[in-house]
């Protein structure tokens, strides 16, 4: 199980924003350390969207010690050490790195986010198992608490979601025989319209590369066949 832990949040709105992000990306277990008052008529529930129905009301208030003792912990910070001479904030992982790391970890994991103004304290980070930082501009790397959690949970979504609302693009791609038939027909059309023979091989390579990158669907290939049929009819009627 992967839990999301918010330490000493100052504003209820950020708690609600994180609960919503959890709902968006398949996470459900929210734990709060020293939380603000979460009024059901306040901004936490107002910001939570559909997470107001389960993630937020089911949140558990815990102590920091309980998180340390019961989970493999990952702390999130905007500021990391610049080299390996100090280890409080180093070595660190990006969320993308972390997704690969945690995919094979068979234990309960806590993703730990800190305060709006100062994040997690050095004393807290020193007790955590891993450190994660979101790549951002060196000129201004500090994200809002709700933003940071949303980005991190998005990158880690494959650890919690079995499927999304998006279509399976791999299954949408047209069958290879249909795509090859299009190439043959395109070549025939070039001949029919008098395209120079010396240019045809190079042009066909370019068309193949272009179509190959686009991964066309059945409908798209069918439409392209229709365009070529129209060109062929116009050529015969000249």
């Amino acid at each position: 199980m992967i839990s999301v832990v918010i330490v000493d949040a100052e504003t209820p709105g950020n708690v609600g924003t994180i609960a919503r992000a959890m709902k968006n990306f398949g996470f459900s277990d929210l734990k709060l350390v020293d939380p603000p008052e979460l009024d059901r008529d306040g901004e936490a529930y107002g910001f939570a969207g559909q997470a107001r129905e389960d993630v937020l009301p089911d949140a558990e208030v815990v102590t920091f010690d309980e998180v340390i003792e019961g989970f493999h912990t990952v702390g999130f910070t905007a500021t990391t050490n610049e080299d390996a001479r100090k280890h409080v904030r180093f070595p660190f992982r990006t969320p993308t790195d972390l997704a690969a790391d945690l995919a094979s970890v068979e234990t309960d994991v806590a993703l730990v986010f800190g305060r709006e103004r100062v994040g997690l304290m050095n004393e807290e980070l020193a007790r955590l198992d891993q450190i994660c930082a979101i790549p951002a501009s060196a000129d201004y790397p500090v994200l809002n608490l709700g933003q940071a959690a949303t980005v991190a949970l998005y990158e880690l979504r494959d650890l919690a979601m079995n499927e999304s609302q998006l279509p399976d693009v791999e299954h949408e791609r047209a069958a290879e025989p249909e795509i090859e038939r299009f190439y043959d027909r395109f070549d025939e059309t070039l001949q029919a319209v008098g395209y120079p023979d010396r240019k045809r091989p190079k042009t066909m390579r370019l068309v193949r590369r272009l179509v190959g990158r686009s991964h066309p669907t059945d409908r798209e290939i069918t439409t392209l066949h229709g365009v070529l049929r129209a060109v062929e009819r116009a050529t015969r009627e000249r």
Side-chain angles (χ1 to χ4, degrees), residues 25 30 40-41 44 63 65 72 89 91 93 101 113 115 136 183 203 214 235:
F25 302 123
L30 175 61
R40 284 186 173 270
D41 295 322
T63 66
D65 287 342
H72 174 80
R89 299 172 182 267
R93 295 286 183 268
D101 283 350
F113 298 89
R115 304 156 187 85
Y183 295 143
T203 299
S214 68
T235 302

Side-chain angles (χ1 to χ4, degrees), residues 74-233:
V74 180
F76 287 78
T77 179
T79 306
T80 63
N81 294 122
E82 295 180 359
D83 56 42
R85 288 175 295 179
K86 297 181 180 179
H87 284 269
V88 174
R89 299 172 182 267
F90 187 97
F92 63 92
R93 295 286 183 268
T94 66
T96 302
D97 299 331
L98 188 63
D101 283 350
L102 296 183
S104 60
V105 173
E106 295 183 1
T107 189
D108 292 340
V109 175
L111 309 176
V112 185
F113 298 89
R115 304 156 187 85
E116 285 89 339
R117 290 182 296 106
V118 295
L120 294 167
M121 305 294 189
N122 280 348
E123 306 81 53
E124 293 165 337
L125 287 168
R127 300 180 66 191
L128 302 179
D129 298 309
Q130 287 184 276
I131 301 300
C132 187
I134 297 169
S137 170
D139 293 333
Y140 191 39
V142 181
L143 279 73
N144 169 276
L145 173 59
Q147 293 175 324
T150 299
V151 170
L153 295 177
Y154 167 75
E155 292 289 350
L156 297 172
R157 66 194 182 281
D158 286 345
L159 301 176
M161 284 192 333
N162 292 322
E163 59 183 1
S164 75
Q165 88 285 12
L166 301 179
D168 187 342
V169 293
E170 292 183 2
H171 293 166
E172 289 292 325
R173 191 176 191 273
E176 286 303 321
E178 284 302 306
I179 296 176
E180 287 298 323
R181 194 164 69 86
F182 165 75
Y183 295 143
D184 291 341
R185 189 166 204 161
F186 194 94
D187 191 36
E188 292 169 1
T189 302
L190 291 180
Q191 297 178 59
V193 299
Y195 195 79
D197 288 343
R198 60 184 177 81
K199 292 185 177 181
R200 265 186 28 241
K202 181 177 181 180
T203 299
M204 286 305 304
R205 285 197 300 272
L206 294 176
V207 170
R208 182 177 286 271
R209 298 293 186 275
L210 176 64
V211 174
R213 288 198 305 270
S214 68
H215 301 298
T217 64
D218 285 332
R219 183 170 183 177
E220 289 167 341
I221 282 294
T222 299
T223 299
L224 291 175
H225 275 296
V227 171
L228 295 182
R229 279 197 301 272
V231 173
E232 291 165 1
R233 283 197 302 270

